[in-house]
Amino acid sequence: MSDKPLVLLVDDDPGFLTANSLLLEHAGFRVITAESGRAGLAAARANKPDVVVLDVMMERPDEGFILARAIRADRRLAGVKVLVVTAAAQRYQMLFEPDELWLPVTKVIEKPTAGDELVKEIANLLAVPQNSEGRK
Amino acid sequence: MSPEVIPPCQAGCPVHTDAGRYARLVAEGRYDEAFDVITRTNPFPSVCANICQRLCEKKCRRGQIDAPVALRALKRFVVQHVGRRESVKASESESSKNPDTPGTGYALTRPPSHAPTDLGSRSRVAVIGAGPAGLTAARDLALLGHRVSVLERLDRPGGMLNVIPQYRLPRPALDADIDAILSAGIELKCSCEIGRDVSLGDLLGSAGASPSRSFDTVIVATGLSRSRGTAVPGFGAQRFTAAIPWMADIWLGNKVDVGRRVAVIGGGNVAVDVARTARRLGADYVAMICLESRAEMPADPIEASLAEAEGIHILPSLALKRVFNHEGQIAAIELMAVPSVFDATGRFAPTYDPARIRTLKVDMVILSIGQAPDRSWAAGSGIRPNERGRIVADRDTHITSNPRVFLAGEALRGPGSAIQAVADGHHVADVVARFLATGQVTKPPADQAVPLPNFPPDVAAKLRKLHPVATEAEPFASSEPSLDEAAACREAGRCLGCLSGAAIDETKCAMCLTCYRVCPLDAIEIGEAMKPNPSRCQACGICASVCPANAIRLTTWDSAQSGFSIADCRLPIADPESQIENRESTNSVAVRCRHAGATVGSPDRARLDEPAVALLDVPCLARLKAIDLLRLFRQGYRDVSLYPCAAENCKYGKAWENIQSVVEFVRGILSRSWPEAKLDLRVPEGAAAQK
């Protein structure tokens, strides 16, 4: 098995998946993708990625939130770091931050992400030891 | 050096407004001077007169006896009274041009009488954000002579003050304050967003930027302009929205959607504003759902009770658990019990009981669970957020990772009140002014003032007995009506004048213990010398009146100096000429109770200001003996008027009966000895019952 970290991208926008897969692979990550929350959960369980990057508004407006809670509820995925990349903040004019009750993720960033921002964020997440995540 | 002791109301106010002083000035009908006291440290007098969180009242020692002095209501009376008079003057002078010119009803803060300091080399300062912190900092620096530009993202200044509904903060009040601030020579540029219209680098004169447009320093006071969201199950239906965008649509004049049954999630002042606004927009049912218990709710109790009076249901100790949607519309919400919100150390750590649920049929959910800063101004500036995405700055010096960029207000301190933002605006202006003068970022000197302690319980109990009508419930608990002039003067007269008290001259004191024995509040302590305890003393003057060594004087409010000063309050009137305030040669003298200021009627107040009437302030008219009054007539006075305090202010119970009996006795003697002499006992305003 490769030593390269595995990243799962979950987004219903094929353009986002394609562009960011290329960027991440160029930066030295292995990448798999899924286009829905349900497919994303299955891919996470099958591949146990190091990081899941997920969108929120897919077929349902809260699909990413549901996926995030499902990943956190699955003990086999306890070590997986979850990064939410969403436009929901602009759409609903709300700021989302990780919280234990409804959004148990490692970090939330807002779309659009500029240049290599996603690569840097993932690298930063992987640099943080598992037991010192910035979750509230 | 021992720290300065200040009245607790003043200590409680983030900008140290001298509330006791303006209350005293109101009691004396000196409203312009009261306005000057209010604006000495607060450039938002009209805003705070309406929405201040009354931190001064929470510390007011009168609250230990019955209810705090209604200082915010007094402030509102002052700004409106002075403003109305200015409007009348303005309309009179403008009447030939436009007779219909309306006044705002709020007074404009006057710039300080001194001219701005000429700094020689003026610096250019940009302030990002025209809220209370940014505008306060801008005004302070402009008055120091710097050239200040304020850049505002919205189409108008005021920041989040704009979001406060008009019924709570009338637009003219906000406009009056902002107009006065900008008149200090501040340039305001609205609809200018940092990161979109101009970058922080441009402001700081980075490569490529025009030097004429660059600034020496930038203060960022962008506040908390974003509502926090929650990823609760069912998120995302139509009519699932947040407080700030919803309220912003109202003041921007956009079309606003409101449901028939509205759930407002949150228990703070913004949540109350949202709930009351939803009701005004036609919602039949509005519920406020908050984690805290009713007693722990962060909203101002007055605001919460006003909301309930308008039919809003407050549902405490509950959390949103789920939103039930039907075809994209909200149908109901499920709530779960919150057994506790804070842990043993007082930290916010809510616990939930998902088994205890409650379902509520609603068609709209408005989140008001907190606000967060918009950090887009920092994009591309080199100022990096921390790992949690937050811009950090030193809390003492406001400095960010860029040595010319300072962070202030809620963007630095987190959620707070408008007056706390004003205080932080002063603080950052102080730091920046020092930086511009010296090139060094230094921490301002720490605030050394300490509040006068609360009354000890026994003193509070005694004072309750001495104030006959002081047992009623807090008069402003459920609402805060505007005060008319008479009510304002009466309310101002309730101020106990903290820090007034006895002062003992150790060189004269014979340690006879007379003061110790007569003090009704046990305020005199025995040490190497007799020493008054300022937290107990009420400046009643009894000790001064009986001291055989004449060693005690009183520190009392002195209207001539608009402050506290040592005054001679000896009783009996042993030497009238030395005690009477010398004005002109006269045969009229007014003897006034020191506590009568608020209750002297308007005609009598005018008489007391006449130079032809000599004035003698005494601690208590009831303690005057017939011989004291007769000494005045023997001295040559032929027209003596007595001005007692009103019964509700009297500290000595049966004062009125004592005065009447002394007056009757003296009149009997006068009729035989000096038939032309006149002894008049005036009745305090609003005290007909005393007759």
Side-chain angles (χ1 to χ4, degrees):
Chain A
M1 183 180 259
S2 167
D3 290 338
K4 290 180 179 177
L6 179 62
V7 177
L8 166 61
L9 296 180
V10 186
D11 199 307
D12 62 345
D13 176 2
F16 178 90
L17 293 178
T18 306
N20 285 290
S21 293
L22 286 171
L23 274 172
L24 290 168
E25 282 167 355
H26 183 72
F29 297 102
R30 290 180 295 135
V31 180
I32 54 174
T33 62
E35 293 193 17
S36 69
R38 192 178 296 276
L41 184 60
R45 284 175 172 158
N47 298 283
K48 293 202 178 63
D50 297 288
V51 178
V52 178
V53 177
L54 55 89
D55 184 25
V56 172
M57 296 183 294
M58 290 184 272
E59 190 178 342
R60 290 174 51 127
D62 60 344
E63 196 159 324
F65 294 149
I66 296 169
L67 173 58
R69 288 193 288 271
I71 290 172
R72 199 50 72 216
D74 190 331
R75 253 188 277 173
R76 290 167 300 173
L77 301 175
V80 175
K81 301 192 183 215
V82 180
L83 176 65
V84 174
V85 183
T86 179
Q90 292 93 315
R91 164 75 178 76
Y92 293 96
Q93 297 186 59
M94 296 174 195
L95 181 87
F96 294 95
E97 289 185 330
D99 78 81
E100 285 292 346
L101 194 59
W102 303 126
L103 194 51
V105 301
T106 318
K107 192 167 183 184
V108 181
I109 59 174
E110 293 179 16
K111 281 185 180 178
T113 52
D116 59 352
E117 187 183 349
L118 189 60
V119 174
K120 283 183 183 167
E121 290 289 353
I122 292 171
N124 287 341
L125 290 191
L126 290 171
V128 177
Q130 186 60 45
N131 58 2
S132 63
E133 284 189 4
R135 272 195 274 142
K136 286 201 291 188
Chain B
M1 195 177 76
S2 58
E4 181 194 7
V5 178
I6 59 175
C9 54
Q10 191 180 8
C13 174
V15 297
H16 288 347
T17 300
D18 196 345
R21 185 169 304 226
Y22 76 67
R24 295 253 153 187
L25 288 164
V26 170
E28 294 177 8
R30 297 161 64 183
Y31 310 128
D32 280 313
E33 290 164 79
F35 185 72
D36 288 341
V37 169
I38 290 167
T39 55
R40 199 171 293 161
T41 56
N42 183 2
F44 284 91
S46 298
V47 167
C48 290
N50 285 280
I51 58 134
C52 187
Q53 287 187 309
R54 304 176 299 131
L55 298 171
C56 51
E57 293 181 31
K58 291 180 175 75
K59 302 287 183 187
C60 175
R61 297 206 305 168
R62 180 84 200 207
Q64 283 184 264
I65 299 168
D66 49 356
V69 178
L71 293 164
R72 183 172 73 181
L74 287 179
K75 186 184 290 174
R76 194 161 67 249
F77 166 77
V78 170
V79 294
Q80 290 185 328
H81 187 88
V82 175
R84 264 194 300 273
R85 215 186 41 224
E86 287 179 351
S87 296
V88 169
K89 277 187 204 162
S91 62
E92 279 170 0
S93 64
E94 291 286 318
S95 57
S96 58
K97 299 174 196 166
N98 181 5
D100 298 324
T101 304
T104 64
Y106 286 91
L108 292 178
T109 306
R110 303 172 187 98
S113 53
H114 65 274
T117 312
D118 185 359
L119 297 175
S121 59
R122 290 167 148 205
S123 299
R124 292 200 69 197
V125 180
V127 177
I128 303 175
L135 287 177
T136 300
R139 179 176 183 267
D140 285 0
L141 291 165
L143 291 175
L144 285 172
H146 296 294
R147 287 178 293 169
V148 184
S149 299
V150 177
L151 311 174
E152 170 56 49
R153 178 174 59 94
L154 303 172
D155 65 350
R156 65 198 79 182
M160 284 298 109
L161 293 175
N162 288 295
V163 177
I164 299 172
Q166 289 261 351
Y167 61 79
R168 208 152 76 75
L169 177 57
R171 190 79 221 176
L174 181 56
D175 289 344
D177 288 351
I178 289 174
D179 288 350
I181 290 167
L182 295 178
S183 72
I186 297 163
E187 179 194 39
L188 173 68
K189 194 170 181 188
C190 288
S191 304
C192 178
E193 186 168 349
I194 310 303
R196 185 192 66 192
D197 303 303
V198 62
S199 74
L200 192 61
D202 291 338
L203 298 180
L204 292 168
S206 58
S210 163
S212 62
R213 287 180 58 209
S214 67
F215 295 87
D216 300 291
T217 301
V218 175
I219 296 172
V220 179
T222 45
L224 303 177
S225 58
R226 300 188 66 180
S227 278
R228 290 191 185 280
T230 177
V232 66
F235 165 92
Q238 202 178 341
R239 287 186 172 165
F240 187 98
T241 186
I244 298 301
W246 190 72
M247 296 288 276
D249 275 342
I250 293 170
W251 61 263
L252 287 169
N254 297 336
K255 188 170 180 291
V256 180
D257 184 27
V258 66
R260 199 172 59 78
R261 294 175 62 86
V262 178
V264 180
I265 312 297
N269 283 327
V270 176
V272 176
D273 285 347
V274 169
R276 295 177 69 190
T277 302
R279 195 94 170 96
R280 281 164 172 74
L281 290 177
D284 295 332
Y285 173 88
V286 179
M288 274 179 65
I289 293 135
C290 62
L291 300 177
E292 297 87 355
S293 67
R294 187 69 175 80
E296 292 169 327
M297 264 180 74
D300 185 322
I302 287 182
E303 296 301 322
S305 56
L306 284 172
E308 286 185 307
E310 291 174 9
I312 287 154
H313 303 262
I314 295 179
L315 307 180
S317 300
L318 289 168
L320 184 61
K321 182 168 183 275
R322 177 186 300 269
V323 181
F324 294 109
N325 302 318
H326 178 67
E327 296 178 348
Q329 306 286 330
I330 296 171
I333 54 174
E334 189 173 78
L335 307 168
M336 60 181 164
V338 180
S340 67
V341 179
F342 303 99
D343 66 14
T345 63
R347 196 175 62 95
F348 181 77
T351 59
Y352 304 98
D353 184 352
R356 286 165 53 206
I357 60 168
R358 175 175 176 177
T359 303
L360 200 63
K361 190 178 168 191
V362 297
D363 57 9
M364 183 171 199
V365 173
I366 306 176
L367 297 178
S368 183
I369 54 174
Q371 287 152 241
D374 184 345
R375 302 168 189 123
S376 56
W377 60 269
S381 70
I383 296 176
R384 295 293 300 168
N386 65 9
E387 70 280 358
R388 293 174 72 172
R390 295 179 183 171
I391 306 289
V392 288
D394 186 279
R395 295 178 73 82
D396 290 325
T397 64
H398 301 261
I399 195 78
T400 63
S401 59
N402 184 313
R404 287 162 59 203
V405 178
F406 297 79
L407 192 63
E410 288 187 314
L412 172 65
R413 312 265 172 212
S417 63
I419 192 64
Q420 286 166 326
V422 169
D424 210 45
H426 285 312
H427 198 262
V428 73
D430 190 5
V431 172
V432 169
R434 289 164 196 269
F435 170 69
L436 292 171
T438 66
Q440 303 291 317
V441 176
T442 50
K443 182 178 157 182
D447 187 353
Q448 296 289 341
V450 296
L452 186 68
N454 276 345
F455 289 121
D458 62 310
V459 174
K462 283 176 185 166
L463 290 175
R464 267 182 223 117
K465 289 180 189 163
L466 290 171
H467 292 273
V469 294
T471 51
E472 65 185 45
E474 186 178 348
F476 296 96
S478 59
S479 62
E480 190 181 69
S482 287
L483 304 175
D484 61 23
E485 186 171 3
C489 288
R490 270 198 306 278
E491 182 62 19
R494 293 180 62 243
C495 174
L496 297 172
C498 292
L499 281 187
S500 54
I504 299 179
D505 183 343
E506 291 179 22
T507 62
K508 290 184 180 174
C509 176
M511 295 287 284
C512 67
L513 306 189
T514 305
C515 54
Y516 179 80
R517 284 186 287 107
V518 299
C519 178
L521 299 175
D522 298 328
I524 307 290
E525 294 171 353
I526 306 173
E528 290 188 11
M530 306 305 291
K531 192 178 170 194
N533 180 339
S535 70
R536 303 179 77 94
C537 185
Q538 277 283 284
C540 69
I542 292 176
C543 58
S545 71
V546 298
C547 176
N550 202 10
I552 304 178
R553 302 181 122 195
L554 295 184
T555 309
T556 57
W557 170 256
D558 185 331
S559 58
Q561 296 182 27
S562 292
F564 288 99
S565 65
I566 297 288
D568 200 332
C569 289
R570 276 177 291 157
L571 275 176
I573 306 169
D575 180 9
E577 279 310 291
S578 71
Q579 286 174 251
I580 290 174
E581 197 176 310
N582 285 325
R583 299 189 186 184
E584 291 177 2
S585 178
T586 175
N587 73 347
S588 299
V589 63
V591 184
R592 180 176 66 173
C593 170
R594 282 203 169 272
H595 308 288
T599 51
V600 174
S602 302
D604 286 340
R605 214 180 298 150
R607 178 171 157 75
L608 288 174
D609 285 337
E610 284 177 22
V613 179
L615 184 63
L616 175 60
D617 271 337
V618 295
C620 176
L621 287 189
R623 295 185 60 78
L624 286 175
K625 304 282 190 302
I627 188 67
D628 296 316
L629 295 175
L630 288 169
R631 277 201 188 100
L632 291 169
F633 290 100
R634 196 173 66 186
Q635 201 77 29
Y637 293 102
R638 290 294 176 267
D639 181 4
V640 176
S641 305
L642 305 179
Y643 292 84
C645 61
E648 64 263 32
N649 285 341
C650 182
K651 300 177 188 302
Y652 310 110
K654 295 180 178 175
W656 184 253
E657 289 87 336
N658 291 352
I659 298 166
Q660 281 184 313
S661 67
V662 168
V663 165
E664 287 309 313
F665 179 74
V666 172
R667 279 178 180 157
I669 295 172
L670 290 178
S671 64
R672 294 192 294 276
S673 305
W674 293 294
E676 76 282 13
K678 185 178 158 199
L679 176 59
D680 188 16
L681 178 57
R682 309 296 299 179
V683 179
E685 196 167 73
Q690 285 180 325
K691 289 179 181 173

